[in-house]
Amino acid sequence: MTDATAQDAMITADGTPLKVSLNRALRREKLRALMLIAPLLIFILVSFIFPIGDMLIRSVQNGMVSQVIPRTVTTLEDWDHTSGETPSEEVFQALTRDFMIAVERKDHTRLGTRLNYERTGMSSLFRKTGRRVDDLGEGYTDQFGDLDPAWEEPMTWVTLMGHPDWIAAQAAWDGEGAEPSFRLRDGVADVLPRTAEMYAAFAQVVQVEDEDSPTEEEPWHIVYASLYEDLQADGVDVTSLSAPILTAALEGSAAFETQSMRDGFIEIEEDWADPEVWGTIQAFSSPVTAGYFLKAVDLSLTPDGVEPVADNLTIYVELFWRTMWMSMTITFSCILLGYPIAWLMANLPDRSANLIMILVLLPFWTSLLVRTSAWKVLLQRQGVVNDTLVAIGLIGDDGRLALINNVTGTIIAMTHILLPFMILPLYSVMKGIPPSYLRAAKSLGATNVTAFRRVYFPQSVPGIGAGSILVFILSIGYYITPEIVGGTKGVFISNRIAYFISDSPNWGLAAALGTILLVVVLALYWAYDKVVGIDNVKLGG
Amino acid sequence: MNVQLTAADRAAQGDNLIPFAMPITGLLGAVLGVLLGQLVGLNLVFGIIVGTVLGAGVAFVLCRYLDYVPGRWAAIGGLALLGLIFGGIAGLVAGAVFGAVLGWCAYWLHSGRYRAGVPPYATPGQVLWHNAFLLICGLILFFLIAPILTIIPLSFNAQDFFTFTPKMLAFDPDGYSLKHYRDFFTNDEWTVPLWNSLKIAPVATAISVTLGTLAAIGLSQSHVPARRAIMAILISPMIVPLIISAAGMYFFYSRIGLQGTYWGVVLAHAALGIPFVIITVTATLVGFDRSLTRAAANMGANPVTTFFRVQMPLILPGVVSGGLFAFITSFDEVVVVLFVGSAGQQTLPWQMFTGLREQISPTILAAATVLISISIVLLVTLEFLRRRSERLRGLSPG
């Protein structure tokens, strides 16, 4: 009987071939396992992985400039900041429109704050401009008004720009319930594109932000300015709109005095004439930026490309190095203090080892805040440690040691807090080293030192590795303890991240610093997984 | 305790009283004398002389004329009496401690027990090294445990100081009070956060334990596709530094309107507790005999009945200890709640953190002592559960 026939012959009780039946059972089992895991997986994805992803995206996200001043960004594309000249009038016209809408939506201060991260003074520039931008183009309003006073009537504009259906609905609206939202008249956008766009924006702002009716509000000056621009464009034909007032305006506007938006802006604030300001806007107008990451490594994205920041402003690289070397010092102190204890536990009879284990686990289980507050209390200038040292005469009363709010405080407290994380893996490795090896080495003539150095120590290295990586990973991400006992000199990169989230909001930079830290930690974990295996993580022995 | 000297001990010991035990105990006495002398402001030389004489004297009298138990008590009593005469209550305590230390030292040296940890053929240098090593270990353990134990007596301070007042050192009852505890349990500044913590932690724990146990059971099945990847995702909240989790959650939760709400904090804490549940329950399931569920199914139990009647009772210790880990994670957590929570979700650790950062009030010591007591209770519970679990799984005779 061949294999094939054997398989053909294998049939289960209900007549299906065994192979099919087994596969079906296996599939069902897999499905059941996945169904059990699914709720948690979804939960973790939503409550944890998405937030982390959100942070990663934020570190490069830069949509604000192109969202708030889209027209300016488009017209600015052709401008070259190295020319040393301010952009053309066209750019300023676009900026006036963007700014008017942004001011009504109160977006301009947000944008100013955002750009202020890159160039100081931007925030006040935007704020100041925002207060006066609605005066720009006033000359056009007056000139249109001189031409025909009807231009200053809101209804003139409504009939010219509004869709007949909307006008009827708006007239029927009694002020209660939802206001019918503005619709442009057919064809007006083709003839008067800028005016239509601005009027629509105006109508929307009036309806949504102010909750008024466009039929009762005179349009912004920039709408008049846009109308002037549209009428001055080549080959404009207003006959299709069949509005006599517009035809008259087309003829009359030719004699209008042109108002420069550029001069208007520069009059509000001289900085608008500065090509560097425009260079900054241009450099940060793309929706994705490496600017935050560059800043996180003490470089800056300037209009001229990537440049290192001034020496007196470099902080992050130094902070990363400090985080690294302090974590290493803490790790090393943990090895130094943890190794003897782990050895003692591994070589004592179980009963005594258990007692020591409890002494190790008690701090491990005590609230982090409790241990940190203990150190804060003990290490103070008037604290127990200094008092004791003074009392037994090791130091004078005027020579009290500065043990807190500096690097020393952070290292002492964190070594204490992380020591159990070193002892536990060391202990579990040492427990597995047979004591007979040391005895054998000694009976072969090795001295105690040689036996330890050549036989015992090499076997305990995996424990040192596991403990070191664990302690190092935990310490580079620490926030609470350095914040409380570290002062200004003993803080880590995490404290800077927290600072940029709450104290001085710059979420993009916080996200970039966090991403770098996350990458370092994940790389270390990958190493940890190679050395020990994540599955071997043990909790409290 | 009667010290039975073995033949080897006697050989090693000889009669080492005069050349060995007496001088060393005297040296210890000198050191203690200097420390105490400095403490009460005595002359340095005087401290050394008195200490040496006392140490050597204790060693001589005890080892020559007294047995171990009466000897220890005689040393404690004698020096305590001496302390009482010269220094009142504080002197009594200091004298008793001195007596205990010197008496123990004298017998330890004289009876040869200092060699107990090393083989009989060890050289004096090795014996010295061995005992120095033990001393170093003792100091490290002291470093580990002392900070926690020191703040317990400090929390009973009658003054608003963070150090031992002279009255406390003199064991004057007036120096101690429960006023910080009264403040902790009556002041809104502390009771509200405590109550908030108690509202958040159990709900977060319930979510972690329910979902975590289900998933751990799913993960322990024999055919799970992409098990390592799933495991990595589920463990990730433990791996990612808290500040990064907090930052991400802050950004994301403010986007979806959860930032500053009770449920936002609960969700965040549940996510942080899950890895602990997964790890402990998975570890318990490793020892679980699958034939038991098959046997149950064979006898007609449906999967739900099988789970609650057969599997659950056996993995319960793992589930409970995972739950305890999750609970303490949430109860202790401060970084995430600082960012995700708002004033309405101020928890106990948060209050402690702001207290430590801004103006530190001694009530914090009372809070810390309460938390230490809770951790001790939890530690004991966990140890008990671990033993029970091992016994159930037949890993140790129990």
Side-chain angles (χ1 to χ4, degrees):
Chain A
M1 204 156 58
T2 65
D3 278 346
T5 53
Q7 272 177 9
D8 288 341
M10 290 284 206
I11 290 187
T12 53
D14 57 353
T16 46
L18 181 63
K19 208 171 173 185
V20 176
S21 185
L22 275 177
N23 273 339
R24 195 180 294 152
L26 190 64
R27 210 161 41 235
R28 211 163 38 228
E29 205 170 312
K30 274 185 187 175
L31 203 65
R32 209 175 62 192
L34 283 184
M35 295 258 288
L36 285 169
I37 302 170
L40 181 64
L41 202 57
I42 293 167
F43 179 82
I44 288 281
L45 281 179
V46 172
S47 66
F48 189 77
I49 303 291
F50 286 176
I52 299 290
D54 188 25
M55 187 195 74
L56 298 182
I57 291 171
R58 253 176 218 275
S59 65
V60 293
Q61 198 178 40
N62 187 40
M64 199 188 275
V65 177
S66 48
Q67 267 165 28
V68 177
I69 49 170
R71 299 170 191 84
T72 317
V73 168
T74 321
T75 47
L76 200 58
E77 267 169 17
D78 304 328
W79 177 75
D80 179 14
H81 90 278
T82 51
S83 63
E85 286 169 13
T86 13
S88 62
E89 175 67 22
E90 190 200 0
V91 174
F92 278 98
Q93 284 171 355
L95 182 66
T96 321
R97 294 197 191 95
D98 287 334
F99 228 103
M100 196 61 217
I101 297 171
V103 167
E104 293 296 331
R105 292 182 181 152
K106 298 177 182 63
D107 278 344
H108 69 295
T109 48
R110 278 176 52 222
L111 182 61
T113 313
R114 164 69 187 91
L115 287 172
N116 207 53
Y117 300 152
E118 314 303 337
R119 188 187 159 84
T120 46
M122 293 297 259
S123 183
S124 71
L125 173 65
F126 273 63
R127 218 173 287 267
K128 207 165 169 185
T129 311
R131 280 199 290 271
R132 290 182 53 193
V133 74
D134 51 354
D135 294 340
L136 289 177
E138 195 178 356
Y140 292 116
T141 313
D142 295 342
Q143 295 186 60
F144 273 106
D146 291 344
L147 196 66
D148 186 342
W151 277 116
E152 296 191 3
E153 297 293 324
M155 279 313 287
T156 313
W157 283 97
V158 169
T159 36
L160 189 64
M161 292 288 161
H163 195 277
D165 293 352
W166 173 76
I167 297 175
Q170 184 75 14
W173 181 60
D174 54 358
E176 302 284 318
E179 200 174 339
S181 43
F182 177 77
R183 276 173 65 201
L184 272 177
R185 181 177 163 188
D186 297 331
V188 71
D190 300 328
V191 182
L192 306 168
R194 298 185 189 89
T195 320
E197 190 190 5
M198 283 318 288
Y199 190 80
F202 158 75
Q204 198 207 350
V205 166
V206 167
Q207 287 191 322
V208 178
E209 309 280 328
D210 306 342
E211 296 180 354
D212 273 325
S213 168
T215 56
E216 288 157 17
E217 300 281 321
E218 196 183 335
W220 304 328
H221 299 313
I222 184 66
V223 178
Y224 291 91
S226 303
L227 180 61
Y228 173 72
E229 278 174 47
D230 279 334
L231 294 178
Q232 291 304 303
D234 292 335
V236 62
D237 180 14
V238 297
T239 48
S240 64
L241 296 177
S242 58
I245 191 171
L246 198 61
T247 323
L250 179 60
E251 287 163 17
S253 65
F256 279 8
E257 187 190 336
T258 310
Q259 309 261 315
S260 168
M261 293 296 169
R262 182 168 160 169
D263 295 348
F265 268 100
I266 293 171
E267 195 197 318
I268 293 174
E269 177 67 59
E270 282 179 354
D271 279 356
W272 286 113
D274 185 357
E276 289 296 312
V277 167
W278 287 97
T280 309
I281 293 177
Q282 194 181 35
F284 286 92
S285 60
S286 63
V288 170
T289 180
Y292 293 123
F293 277 103
L294 291 172
K295 194 159 226 185
V297 291
D298 284 337
L299 297 172
S300 70
L301 185 64
T302 63
D304 306 311
V306 179
E307 284 175 7
V309 302
D311 277 349
N312 56 343
L313 295 177
T314 59
I315 41 174
Y316 304 113
V317 170
E318 192 205 325
L319 201 54
F320 272 114
W321 277 123
R322 190 204 290 164
T323 307
M324 287 288 165
W325 80 253
M326 279 175 71
S327 300
M328 278 180 204
T329 314
I330 291 162
T331 310
F332 187 72
S333 319
C334 283
I335 299 174
L336 215 61
L337 298 182
Y339 201 91
I341 298 292
W343 160 285
L344 191 67
M345 271 160 63
N347 287 289
L348 276 181
D350 275 353
R351 188 172 290 276
S352 328
N354 266 340
L355 187 72
I356 296 180
M357 183 60 112
I358 287 173
L359 294 184
V360 172
L361 286 183
L362 182 64
F364 183 75
W365 270 100
T366 310
S367 163
L368 172 67
L369 257 303
V370 170
R371 285 179 283 169
T372 310
S373 35
W375 281 115
K376 175 110 180 173
V377 168
L378 296 180
L379 293 178
Q380 283 178 38
R381 202 163 276 269
Q382 303 296 331
V384 174
V385 171
N386 264 318
D387 274 1
T388 314
L389 289 178
V390 170
I392 62 176
L394 278 180
I395 53 173
D397 197 26
D398 47 355
R400 284 172 180 262
L401 305 174
L403 294 172
I404 206 165
N405 295 334
N406 55 21
V407 177
T408 323
T410 307
I411 288 179
I412 295 179
M414 292 211 19
T415 303
H416 176 252
I417 286 167
L418 295 177
L419 191 52
F421 291 95
M422 177 64 81
I423 294 179
L424 296 176
L426 263 178
Y427 170 63
S428 66
V429 167
M430 285 184 181
K431 194 78 185 147
I433 304 175
S436 53
Y437 286 8
L438 259 189
R439 284 204 295 271
K442 282 183 197 164
S443 75
L444 289 172
T447 62
N448 277 343
V449 176
T450 316
F452 174 76
R453 195 170 54 84
R454 301 275 301 275
V455 177
Y456 195 86
F457 184 75
Q459 295 186 78
S460 67
V461 165
I464 297 181
S468 303
I469 296 180
L470 197 60
V471 168
F472 191 79
I473 291 171
L474 287 171
S475 88
I476 60 171
Y478 242 63
Y479 166 65
I480 294 296
T481 310
E483 181 73 23
I484 288 173
V485 300
T488 51
K489 283 287 168 201
V491 292
F492 286 179
I493 196 74
S494 9
N495 303 77
R496 203 72 196 167
I497 298 177
Y499 171 80
F500 280 128
I501 295 174
S502 51
D503 299 342
S504 158
N506 184 350
W507 291 6
L509 185 54
L513 291 171
T515 306
I516 296 178
L517 183 60
L518 182 65
V519 168
V520 173
V521 167
L522 289 184
L524 285 168
Y525 253 99
W526 178 80
Y528 184 81
D529 192 29
K530 289 285 154 210
V531 176
V532 206
I534 296 286
D535 295 346
N536 293 346
V537 180
K538 286 219 180 71
L539 299 168
Chain B
M1 179 175 137
N2 252 322
V3 180
Q4 297 292 327
L5 296 184
T6 63
D9 283 336
R10 282 192 193 285
Q13 175 194 347
D15 189 13
N16 64 8
L17 180 62
I18 303 300
F20 184 67
M22 252 176 77
I24 295 185
T25 315
L27 196 66
L28 182 68
V31 172
L32 292 176
V34 169
L35 294 185
L36 189 73
Q38 288 289 332
L39 219 54
V40 296
L42 281 180
N43 187 308
L44 191 70
V45 181
F46 184 70
I48 292 178
I49 293 171
V50 173
T52 315
V53 170
L54 277 178
V58 164
F60 184 77
V61 175
L62 263 53
C63 300
R64 183 80 4 133
Y65 303 109
L66 291 168
D67 275 343
Y68 185 78
V69 176
R72 291 293 305 272
W73 282 115
I76 293 172
L79 288 193
L81 190 68
L82 214 59
L84 184 65
I85 295 167
F86 289 103
I89 302 287
L92 177 89
V93 176
V97 172
F98 267 46
V101 172
L102 290 178
W104 171 82
C105 179
Y107 279 120
W108 184 66
L109 291 170
H110 182 64
S111 64
R113 262 184 305 136
Y114 62 94
R115 301 189 63 113
V118 291
Y121 50 80
T123 61
Q126 285 167 345
V127 176
L128 185 65
W129 163 243
H130 174 77
N131 287 307
F133 177 76
L134 288 182
L135 181 69
I136 291 169
C137 287
L139 290 178
I140 297 172
L141 288 173
F142 178 77
F143 168 75
L144 208 50
I145 217 80
I148 298 170
L149 295 188
T150 315
I151 60 171
I152 296 178
L154 277 180
S155 70
F156 293 99
N157 200 334
Q159 304 286 324
D160 287 348
F161 292 146
F162 289 101
T163 188
F164 292 102
T165 57
K167 274 190 173 176
M168 292 182 86
L169 291 174
F171 296 98
D172 183 340
D174 288 348
Y176 295 85
S177 92
L178 287 172
K179 71 173 201 175
H180 301 313
Y181 288 87
R182 247 192 315 278
D183 188 44
F184 178 71
F185 285 112
T186 53
N187 191 339
D188 276 354
E189 218 175 287
W190 290 97
T191 50
V192 172
L194 179 64
W195 181 235
N196 277 337
S197 282
L198 289 176
K199 271 194 299 198
I200 291 169
V203 181
T205 309
I207 297 177
S208 311
V209 170
T210 323
L211 295 180
T213 309
L214 275 184
I217 291 171
L219 277 171
S220 70
Q221 314 268 323
S222 39
H223 303 284
V224 185
R227 185 203 305 262
R228 276 186 71 85
I230 293 177
M231 196 73 177
I233 291 176
L234 298 186
I235 302 283
S236 60
M238 196 172 78
I239 295 170
V240 174
L242 275 175
I243 187 73
I244 294 179
S245 315
M249 285 169 173
Y250 178 68
F251 297 147
F252 187 71
Y253 288 6
S254 30
R255 241 186 246 258
I256 59 174
L258 272 174
Q259 200 271 330
T261 65
Y262 170 76
W263 285 105
V265 178
V266 167
L267 282 191
H269 278 183
L272 294 181
I274 275 167
F276 297 99
V277 179
I278 293 279
I279 288 176
T280 49
V281 179
T282 323
T284 324
L285 282 168
V286 167
F288 181 75
D289 188 353
R290 307 214 126 259
S291 53
L292 291 176
T293 50
R294 280 200 288 272
N298 213 3
M299 289 188 244
N302 64 29
V304 177
T305 316
T306 313
F307 175 74
F308 280 108
R309 299 282 298 277
V310 178
Q311 199 164 13
M312 192 65 187
L314 282 169
I315 63 169
L316 194 63
V319 175
V320 174
S321 61
L324 282 178
F325 272 108
F327 182 85
I328 202 118
T329 306
S330 166
F331 199 74
D332 247 14
E333 208 290 321
V334 53
V335 186
V336 168
V337 79
L338 269 178
F339 290 106
V340 175
S342 64
Q345 291 84 45
Q346 198 169 25
T347 59
L348 194 53
W350 179 343
Q351 174 65 22
M352 289 178 77
F353 177 71
T354 45
L356 282 172
R357 203 158 60 154
E358 282 141 27
Q359 45 154 6
I360 173 165
S361 127
T363 310
I364 213 165
L365 295 176
T369 309
V370 171
L371 288 182
I372 292 175
S373 324
I374 294 177
S375 357
I376 292 177
V377 171
L378 284 182
L379 179 64
V380 171
T381 319
L382 265 180
E383 182 64 17
F384 172 76
L385 283 171
R386 195 178 62 83
R387 293 201 175 162
R388 185 183 142 84
S389 163
E390 286 186 355
R391 201 166 58 234
L392 279 178
R393 287 153 55 192
L395 291 185
S396 79

